[in-house]
Amino acid sequence: MSALNKWLKRLLLLFAFALAAFSVAFYVLYFRRTPLPPSAPRALVAPSIASLPGLSACWLETGKTLSNFSFGSTAGSILVRHPAGDLLIDTGNSSHFDEEIRGYPFGTWFKLRFLAGQLKPDVPLSELLRRMKEDPAKLRWVILSHAHLDHSGGLMDLPRLPVLLTQEELQFANDPSVQAKGYVIAAYVQRFPAPGSATLRFDPQPYETFDESADLYKDGSVVVVPLRGHTPGSVGIFVNLSPKRRLFYVGDAVDDERGFRERVGKSWVLRDSDNDEVLANEVVAKLTELHEELPELAIIPAHGRSAYKRFFPGGPLSCVSAQ
């Protein structure tokens, strides 16, 4: 029995050591982030916003991980219901994700499978839309915050639709070196506009703290601004349900709410996903400034599940309107 007790004690010590090592590694890789310099002060160009009857935003969650924790991640879409035609913001992963990354070298495959692959769909996006009584074929547009596979993959589960992307993002997505790293999958790019055929262009019209903007419906309900850095053509999307109820979807400009609340960049494990780290960090500082100026504005990172839950108290497959 004494030999057994010694063996059990050694096993418990080994387990405790492994748990401590994992905790330290997790802290360093995810939680430890260095505060960034503040953004240069900018004048706020406050938009005129009116409540539009029939306008609403709905949360479609295709994947989630660590959902019981405040730092849990999500993936999917925001459906904007608009009287002039509905809009889908981002699409999450493809339901065929595992098959579509199979041809990559092992190192790339492993990284994709155990990062983006943790958010692969439980239910295809097309089925979630139908559960919301939304016909995927009747969507007016899909706008992508950027072209990365975990934001554009859901296009493979939808009929062909007009996809809104800037020229910078189209050039990035069609770059063979970007595709070789697995950030963008060639099959998904076939669902994008043709290279040189940008479907999203900005006007020199200031909006909030941004110098350029694109008013999609020309009524102030959905306004797009550039967030260049994470990718060359990353964008953020304002959805203005009413003067008091607004969301700003920022894609992967920040990992989570901590990014703009504490003005910190990406975690170490995700830092290499930024195409231009200097520009990406400038965007983070700008988002922090915007949050301080407009604390009532709901800034929603693409994977920040806690931010979604705050704006959509009914949870996934729920909608919020002006009322």
Side-chain angles (χ1 to χ4, degrees):
M1 285 297 290
S2 60
L4 179 61
N5 288 337
K6 286 182 180 179
W7 184 84
L8 287 174
K9 285 180 181 179
R10 288 174 182 172
L11 187 63
L12 286 173
L13 283 172
L14 182 62
F15 176 77
F17 177 79
L19 183 61
F22 174 80
S23 300
V24 169
F26 189 65
Y27 172 79
V28 170
L29 295 178
Y30 186 80
F31 285 107
R32 188 180 182 188
R33 305 182 211 173
T34 304
L36 301 169
S39 175
R42 301 178 63 85
L44 194 68
V45 181
S48 176
I49 298 169
S51 299
L52 180 68
L55 182 68
S56 64
C58 310
W59 177 16
L60 306 181
E61 183 176 58
T62 56
K64 62 182 178 181
T65 185
L66 299 173
S67 57
N68 292 326
F69 297 90
S70 61
F71 51 84
S73 292
T74 185
S77 301
I78 292 178
L79 170 67
V80 179
R81 287 181 161 147
H82 192 286
D86 296 349
L87 168 73
L88 202 61
I89 301 173
D90 272 356
T91 65
N93 276 334
S94 166
S95 64
H96 307 286
F97 181 86
D98 288 340
E99 294 89 341
E100 289 159 350
I101 66 170
R102 194 167 287 158
Y104 282 100
F106 178 78
T108 304
W109 173 87
F110 184 87
K111 182 176 181 179
L112 296 177
R113 177 64 183 81
F114 289 98
L115 287 177
Q118 296 300 308
L119 294 168
K120 64 182 180 180
D122 298 319
V123 178
L125 181 56
S126 55
E127 174 59 26
L128 292 181
L129 285 164
R130 292 188 185 97
R131 292 181 186 181
M132 298 294 290
K133 310 300 181 187
E134 183 81 23
D135 183 349
K138 293 183 178 179
L139 289 166
R140 178 170 177 175
W141 293 307
V142 175
I143 185 169
L144 300 179
S145 64
H146 60 294
H148 281 172
L149 74 168
D150 55 329
H151 297 258
S152 60
L155 290 172
M156 306 302 286
D157 294 317
L158 298 173
R160 285 194 173 270
L161 294 163
V163 178
L164 304 181
L165 284 168
T166 64
Q167 184 58 40
E168 299 103 313
E169 198 67 4
L170 285 173
Q171 290 175 345
F172 172 78
N174 282 276
D175 185 336
S177 66
V178 172
Q179 295 181 11
K181 293 175 182 176
Y183 292 132
V184 178
I185 292 184
Y188 301 175
V189 178
Q190 301 306 309
R191 298 294 185 100
F192 294 176
S197 303
T199 47
L200 179 63
R201 296 178 177 85
F202 295 110
D203 300 316
Q205 180 65 45
Y207 190 87
E208 300 293 8
T209 57
F210 301 91
D211 296 328
E212 303 171 273
S213 63
D215 186 342
L216 290 191
Y217 291 95
K218 309 303 181 187
D219 59 8
S221 61
V222 180
V223 178
V224 187
V225 296
L227 296 179
R228 304 178 184 100
H230 180 61
T231 65
S234 285
V235 300
I237 302 103
F238 287 88
V239 180
N240 301 311
L241 301 175
S242 74
K244 299 285 188 181
R245 186 168 289 181
R246 307 172 64 203
L247 71 85
F248 184 29
Y249 181 85
V250 298
D252 285 354
V254 289
D255 288 352
D256 48 33
E257 290 176 292
R258 185 183 168 202
F260 62 83
R261 286 181 173 166
E262 300 179 20
R263 203 173 64 240
V264 292
K266 295 283 194 304
S267 60
W268 185 89
V269 72
L270 295 173
R271 196 168 297 161
D272 70 343
S273 69
D274 283 339
N275 181 73
D276 186 322
E277 188 174 353
V278 173
L279 279 180
N281 288 342
E282 289 176 1
V283 167
V284 174
K286 183 177 282 193
L287 293 179
T288 298
E289 179 192 22
L290 185 65
H291 173 62
E292 291 170 351
E293 291 278 354
L294 299 172
E296 72 280 3
L297 174 67
I299 298 178
I300 300 183
H303 301 300
R305 199 167 193 270
S306 60
Y308 279 89
K309 289 165 65 178
R310 193 169 289 108
F311 191 80
F312 297 97
L317 297 184
S318 69
C319 301
V320 174
S321 64
Q323 289 70 37

